[in-house]
Amino acid sequence: LDYATLPSIHGRVCELMASLPVYDPASSLPPPSAVVDGLSDDTRRAQVYAEALQAHIEEFNLLLCCVGPATYQWNMNRSGKGEQSLTLLFNELHACQEYFASSISPRLTNVLAPVVDVATTSSTKTTSEDGRTVTKTNAFGRVLVDPDHVRLSTRVIARNAPILRRSVELNFGKAVKVLQDYMDTAKKDEESSSAYGAY
């Protein structure tokens, strides 16, 4: 893994875009969650999809953290046009990240991390042989605080999966285009500086 150059970052974003998950309502299910009681099969399918999509977004955001070091150059070594191009690059990449943070991640989080609480799931009473002592034993588990919200969030993911995927794909595509445009502009700027210095 070497994401110290823009071409390597660009290439990995292209790979992420090509491998975006597709929601399949008939997909096989993971084992039932040991953490939360009462998740339906539909919710677990939505969680698998949301987790895969979220993983792509997380890696994308981490790759964008590598853009700054990959483009670093002391300001005096960069032309005014190069500085403007760099500013535009960062603004456009930041817009992609902001879109994910405001429009995609909250929907995924509603399914991936539903609000749970610790509650008594069962209770048993035992009486001693002499009948004088009664012992009550409670079993606790993590249960959904608002199962209706989880069901609604699951339906939202299932219903909107194609457009969620497409909007992520379009923003990845925008990032790919912006990175390519910046690399092309930087190359032209470098060539014109070399040609100017040759006189």
Side-chain angles (χ1 to χ4, degrees):
L1 298 174
D2 177 27
Y3 299 122
T5 64
L6 285 184
S8 64
I9 296 167
H10 177 271
R12 182 60 187 146
V13 174
C14 288
E15 291 170 3
L16 284 173
M17 188 169 62
S19 67
L20 283 169
V22 176
Y23 181 78
D24 180 5
S27 65
S28 60
L29 289 169
S33 173
V35 179
V36 180
D37 297 327
L39 294 180
S40 70
D41 288 351
D42 289 340
T43 298
R44 288 172 40 223
R45 272 191 195 91
Q47 282 182 328
V48 168
Y49 173 74
E51 187 173 353
L53 195 57
Q54 186 66 33
H56 277 67
I57 292 169
E58 287 170 6
E59 185 174 347
F60 173 80
N61 285 333
L62 290 171
L63 285 167
L64 295 193
C65 291
C66 298
V67 171
T71 57
Y72 177 76
Q73 195 177 69
W74 187 248
N75 202 24
M76 293 178 67
N77 296 336
R78 192 187 315 272
S79 70
K81 184 178 175 184
E83 192 63 38
Q84 287 176 339
S85 296
L86 186 63
T87 300
L88 180 61
L89 170 72
F90 283 124
N91 287 343
E92 292 298 330
L93 294 178
H94 182 71
C96 293
Q97 289 179 305
E98 284 295 314
Y99 173 74
F100 293 143
S102 65
S103 299
I104 302 293
S105 290
R107 287 177 171 85
L108 301 179
T109 300
N110 286 341
V111 172
L112 288 174
V115 178
V116 296
D117 202 358
V118 176
T120 304
T121 56
S122 65
S123 199
T124 57
K125 286 185 183 181
T126 55
T127 307
S128 64
E129 290 182 13
D130 62 7
R132 294 184 359 190
T133 307
V134 176
T135 304
K136 183 177 179 181
T137 305
N138 293 323
F140 297 93
R142 294 172 60 91
V143 295
L144 296 171
V145 170
D146 189 353
D148 290 335
H149 184 263
V150 174
R151 281 191 289 278
L152 174 64
S153 298
T154 298
R155 286 195 304 270
V156 167
I157 291 285
R159 180 176 59 238
N160 295 319
I163 192 67
L164 285 171
R165 182 185 190 281
R166 184 66 176 140
S167 61
V168 171
E169 182 180 37
L170 288 170
N171 276 276
F172 281 9
K174 174 185 172 183
V176 165
K177 176 85 170 104
V178 168
L179 287 165
Q180 187 62 56
D181 288 348
Y182 177 80
M183 289 187 291
D184 292 346
T185 301
K187 184 178 178 184
K188 286 179 190 172
D189 196 28
E190 190 177 304
E191 288 170 354
S192 67
S193 293
S194 297
Y196 178 74
Y199 289 105

